[in-house]
């Protein structure tokens, strides 16, 4: 048999696997669908897969407020291939609490209640209707959290852990002295030409939990950072360093998500504020969770947590800085602005956020803990009626008008695919309050009244709850997956008698099977 006709075998040096003969477009299409761990495995197949997989290996980089994390990002920015494919940064920039002595540090690591508080976000919430098996599993998980190694470690091992904590604390202090590493940020962003998304999370603001990168970074110090109690301006210098650097590098950012950034971010010099606005001019998706609180002596004692709502309200209303920052993003498609508290009153109004601007491509708008008037809110929706398809309202104070009227107008004005109503919708003039939350936290359930109103805003119906106070008892019971479960009515217990914030007639005044619409 001649050499030409002989078929190649795997033992031949020039043997090529059939999969390696695929067109490059097909290989890219395959690897683009894989998770990062699977991309690592795919790169072991052959040299072509290794070369293509490198493009998809790191699209988002997670980092924390430590020098080692910055060095890791700088190494990526120096790589000739990896740096070209970084699209997103997730920066969890919390600062460690400064415990003056080892004894104080121990009190924050070895206390069982503190351990449960610290890690409770990792445990599934135990709802009022939990089964026996769910309760057993929950308590087992809680016991596991409360008996972690730090509760049984020897004094020698605790001493080593305390030394690591001191090392991390000193490292963060050095970074703060360097203006939160802004010079390195500028150097790094200038080398990431395809960076499109910036995420800054303080106090679990974006995830409602700590990312794995942060948990592992400080694990051997036995204390997790939370917020920025050193400066009492949570997230402000961290966000400034990101936006200043993005402006310096002329980064084309289209997504900015900021979780729990203090309102004093807007109290900058004119030059600094212009730089921040320049950085967001191309942003299409903007999320701003703004906090008005400052910590006092004990960050875990709610009685020692103070708010600056009056100061925040005066400054943002008089300066217009929040409005100027938001409308700097002239191509906005999704806007989510949430304040943290509304007691005694909201810190911002709708006008403080959006003014009279009209975005030509706005698809989604969500507002939380704000105040507005009926005309102001309806005019905002009317300006964006041709594009707006998703709305959200959470704990909004209506200074003038009624919610029944507003809901009617919203239904007539917008063609919605998604509506989210949360918290309390208040009518200031009438001193009415309509609650759309359950009296306990459970992400899997919601009051039927919320489902009814959200469905009305999307699809219409007999009427927009012309008199929401006429809703019956059955309309305030829980709903799972937005489907009414009639069997729940037969299993009421003493918990169903819990007081709600919305007035409603007694059972003998209203038939529970009657429609809530009038």
């Amino acid at each position: 048999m001649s050499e030409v006709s002989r078929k190649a075998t795997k033992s031949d040096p020039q043997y090529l696997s059939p999969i390696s003969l695929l067109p490059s477009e097909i290989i890219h299409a395959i690897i683009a669908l894989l998770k990062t761990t699977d991309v690592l495995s795919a790169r072991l197949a052959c040299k072509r897969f290794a070369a293509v997989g490198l493009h998809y290996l790191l699209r988002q980089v997670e980092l924390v407020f430590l020098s080692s994390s910055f060095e890791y990002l700088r190494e990526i920015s120096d790589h000739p291939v990896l740096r070209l494919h970084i699209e997103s940064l997730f920066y969890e920039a919390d600062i460690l609490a400064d415990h003056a002595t080892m004894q104080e540090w121990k009190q924050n690591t070895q206390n069982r209640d503190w351990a449960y508080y610290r890690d409770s976000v990792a445990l599934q919430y135990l709802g009022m209707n939990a089964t026996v098996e769910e309760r057993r599993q929950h308590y087992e998980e809680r016991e596991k959290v409360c008996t972690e190694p730090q509760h049984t470690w020897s004094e020698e091992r605790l001493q080593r852990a305390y030394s690591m904590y001191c090392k991390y604390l000193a490292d963060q202090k050095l970074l703060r002295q360097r203006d939160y590493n802004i010079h390195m940020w500028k150097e790094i962003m200038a080398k990431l030409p395809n960076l499109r998304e910036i995420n800054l999370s303080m106090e679990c603001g974006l995830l409602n939990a700590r990312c794995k990168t942060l948990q592992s970074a400080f694990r051997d110090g036995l204390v997790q950072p939370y917020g920025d109690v050193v400066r009492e301006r949570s997230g402000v210098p961290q966000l400034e360093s990101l936006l200043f650097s993005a402006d310096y590098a002329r980064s084309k950012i289209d997504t900015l998500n900021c979780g729990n950034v203090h309102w004093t971010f807007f109290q900058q010099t004119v030059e600094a504020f212009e730089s921040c606005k320049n950085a967001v001019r191309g942003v299409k998706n903007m999320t701003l969770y703004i906090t008005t609180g400052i910590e006092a002596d004990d960050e875990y004692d709610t009685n020692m947590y103070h708010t600056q709502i009056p100061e925040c309200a005066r400054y943002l209303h008089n300066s217009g800085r929040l409005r100027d920052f938001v409308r700097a993003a002239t191509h906005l498609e999704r806007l989510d602005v949430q304040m943290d508290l509304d007691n005694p009153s909201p810190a911002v109004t709708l006008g403080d956020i959006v003014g009279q601007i009209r975005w030509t491509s706005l698809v989604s708008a969500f507002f939380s803990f704000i105040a507005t008037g009926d005309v102001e809110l309806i005019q905002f929706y009317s300006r964006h009626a041709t594009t707006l398809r998703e709305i959200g309202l959470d704990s909004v104070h209506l200074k003038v008008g009624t919610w029944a009227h507003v809901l009617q107008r919203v239904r007539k004005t917008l063609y919605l695919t998604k509506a989210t109503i949360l918290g309390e919708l208040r009518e200031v003039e009438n001193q009415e309050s309509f609650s759309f939350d359950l009296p306990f936290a459970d992400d899997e359930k919601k009051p039927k009244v919320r489902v009814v109103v959200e469905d009305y805003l999307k699809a219409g119906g007999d009427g927009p709850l012309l008199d929401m106070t006429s809703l019956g008892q059955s309309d305030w019971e829980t709903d799972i997956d937005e489907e009414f479960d009639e069997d729940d009515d037969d299993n009421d217990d003493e918990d169903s008698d819990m007081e709600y914030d919305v007035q409603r007639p007694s059972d003998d005044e209203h038939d529970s099977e009657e429609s809530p619409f009038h």
Side-chain angles (χ1 to χ4, degrees):
M1 185 171 58
S2 67
E3 286 293 325
V4 176
S5 61
R6 184 176 65 85
K7 291 185 178 180
T9 63
K10 292 184 179 180
S11 60
D12 292 333
Q14 287 146 14
Y15 171 79
L16 292 176
S17 170
I19 197 171
S20 66
L21 299 177
L22 289 171
S24 296
E25 295 83 359
I26 299 298
I27 298 177
H28 275 277
I30 293 172
I31 296 182
L33 300 175
L34 301 180
K35 298 178 181 178
T36 302
T37 53
D38 295 328
V39 172
L40 291 171
S41 301
R43 294 188 71 231
L44 300 176
C46 62
K47 290 184 178 180
R48 288 190 67 202
F49 270 58
V52 174
L54 191 60
H55 296 202
Y56 300 91
L57 195 57
L58 275 177
R59 281 172 281 189
Q60 182 182 75
V61 178
E62 297 178 356
L63 66 155
V64 299
F65 194 62
L66 282 178
S67 295
S68 58
S69 193
F70 284 99
E71 289 296 335
Y72 168 69
L73 182 57
R74 180 154 66 177
E75 290 179 4
I76 293 174
S77 69
D78 289 335
H79 193 281
V81 178
L82 288 178
R83 71 182 187 88
L84 301 178
H85 301 282
I86 302 300
E87 301 174 356
S88 173
L89 294 176
F90 190 93
Y91 185 24
E92 201 157 8
D94 296 274
I95 308 296
L96 285 168
D98 190 352
H99 302 304
T101 64
M102 183 175 179
Q103 183 61 34
E104 182 180 334
W105 169 82
K106 281 184 179 181
Q107 292 174 355
N108 286 275
T109 59
Q110 290 190 287
N111 181 277
R112 289 171 59 89
D113 292 336
W114 159 245
Y116 177 64
Y117 174 86
R118 186 198 65 202
D119 291 333
S120 60
V121 292
L123 299 179
Q124 183 179 2
Y125 181 81
L126 189 64
M128 294 175 63
N129 298 323
T131 64
V132 174
E133 177 60 24
E134 289 173 339
R135 292 177 185 275
R136 183 193 62 78
Q137 184 178 359
H138 176 84
Y139 290 128
E140 286 181 356
E141 291 176 348
R142 171 172 177 163
E143 188 64 20
K144 182 178 179 181
V145 167
C146 294
T147 55
E148 288 179 330
Q150 61 262 38
H151 305 291
T152 57
W153 278 11
S154 65
E155 191 66 24
E156 181 181 355
R157 295 188 69 184
L158 285 172
Q159 182 64 55
R160 289 200 299 269
Y162 177 67
S163 298
M164 292 302 300
Y165 158 76
C166 292
K167 175 185 175 181
Y168 296 144
L169 187 64
D171 182 73
Q172 290 192 333
K173 288 181 178 179
L174 182 60
L175 291 177
R176 292 201 302 271
Q177 293 172 3
R178 295 174 178 172
D179 285 337
Y180 286 71
N181 229 16
I182 187 172
H183 296 297
M184 186 179 289
W185 267 122
K186 290 181 177 179
E187 174 189 338
I188 289 171
M189 285 202 182
K191 298 177 182 178
L192 303 177
N194 294 309
L195 182 65
R196 296 292 180 265
E197 179 177 325
I198 291 177
N199 303 281
L200 173 66
S201 182
M202 302 292 297
E203 302 174 355
C204 308
L206 292 182
L207 294 178
N208 291 325
R210 296 177 176 86
C211 69
K212 292 182 179 179
T213 301
L214 183 139
Q215 292 183 31
S216 60
F218 296 92
R219 181 173 294 151
D220 50 1
L222 298 185
V223 175
Q224 297 289 339
Y226 190 80
D228 189 355
V229 297
V230 177
R231 294 281 295 268
E232 293 185 347
R233 298 171 63 221
S234 180
V236 173
Q238 292 92 329
L239 181 57
E240 289 174 344
S241 63
L242 286 171
L243 295 182
F244 292 164
S245 302
D247 180 37
Y248 170 82
R250 299 294 188 266
S251 300
K252 298 178 181 178
I253 306 299
D254 62 26
T255 300
L256 175 67
N257 298 316
C258 304
N260 289 348
V261 174
H262 200 259
W263 71 271
T264 50
F265 164 76
F266 300 100
Q267 287 184 323
Q268 304 181 52
T269 64
V270 174
E271 182 181 2
F273 190 62
E274 284 300 316
S275 179
C276 290
K277 291 197 298 182
N278 289 336
V280 302
R281 294 203 184 278
V283 166
K284 297 179 180 179
N285 308 293
M286 181 181 290
T287 298
L288 298 175
Y289 297 164
I290 303 170
T291 177
T292 57
I294 58 172
E295 305 291 354
D297 298 334
D298 185 350
E299 60 180 308
Y300 302 109
D301 183 352
T302 55
N303 293 325
M304 302 301 290
Y305 188 84
H306 303 282
T307 63
Q308 296 179 327
I309 288 180
E311 299 93 328
C312 174
R314 282 194 300 269
Y315 182 81
L316 293 182
H317 181 74
N318 295 331
S319 69
R321 282 288 182 91
L322 174 57
R323 178 177 62 251
D324 292 344
F325 183 79
V326 172
R327 69 182 181 184
T330 54
H331 304 290
L332 209 58
E333 296 177 2
R334 296 182 177 276
L335 176 63
D336 183 351
V337 178
Q338 301 187 36
M339 306 300 292
D340 60 342
L341 296 168
D342 61 353
N343 187 16
S345 60
V348 299
T349 66
L350 182 62
D352 295 333
I353 301 172
V354 300
Q356 296 298 317
I357 191 172
R358 176 182 178 272
W359 289 280
T360 57
S361 302
L362 190 66
V363 176
S364 175
F366 191 102
F367 303 107
S368 178
F369 289 107
I370 70 165
T372 184
D374 56 350
V375 175
E376 183 180 37
L377 183 60
I378 293 169
Q379 286 181 347
F380 170 77
Y381 288 144
S382 298
R383 291 198 302 272
H384 301 92
T386 57
T387 60
L388 196 59
R389 295 296 176 263
E390 301 176 4
I391 66 169
L393 296 171
D394 179 7
S395 302
V396 177
H397 290 222
L398 196 65
K399 297 184 293 183
V400 180
T402 66
W403 280 112
H405 171 65
V406 169
L407 294 177
Q408 282 182 301
R409 292 296 303 274
V410 171
R411 172 61 195 144
K412 293 179 180 179
T413 303
L414 301 178
Y415 297 91
L416 298 175
T417 59
K418 181 178 181 180
T420 304
I421 310 296
L422 299 169
E424 290 187 359
L425 299 186
R426 299 185 181 182
E427 297 175 359
V428 177
E429 282 186 335
N430 302 327
Q431 296 184 345
E432 287 278 9
S433 177
F434 305 100
S435 177
F436 289 82
D437 282 342
L438 293 171
F440 54 87
D442 193 327
D443 293 336
E444 296 182 356
K445 300 179 181 181
K446 53 174 98 169
K448 288 182 179 179
V449 64
R450 176 182 160 190
V451 177
V452 168
V453 173
E454 291 176 352
D455 286 348
Y456 167 77
L457 292 175
K458 291 182 293 183
D462 297 334
L465 293 178
L466 296 178
D467 182 6
M468 287 193 281
T469 60
S470 67
L471 291 170
Q473 173 73 28
S474 63
D475 300 310
W476 294 92
E477 293 170 353
T478 63
D479 181 81
I480 303 176
D481 296 330
E482 301 190 9
E483 294 183 7
F484 292 17
D485 186 358
E486 301 297 341
D487 293 334
D488 287 345
D489 296 339
D490 300 327
N491 299 320
D492 292 339
D493 53 25
E494 61 184 4
D495 293 327
S496 64
D497 296 328
M498 187 172 294
E499 290 293 328
Y500 290 82
D501 292 326
V502 180
Q503 298 177 358
R504 58 186 188 277
S506 60
D507 292 337
D508 55 0
E509 294 175 340
H510 186 88
D511 186 354
S512 62
E513 296 180 356
E514 184 179 347
S515 170
F517 295 91
H518 291 259

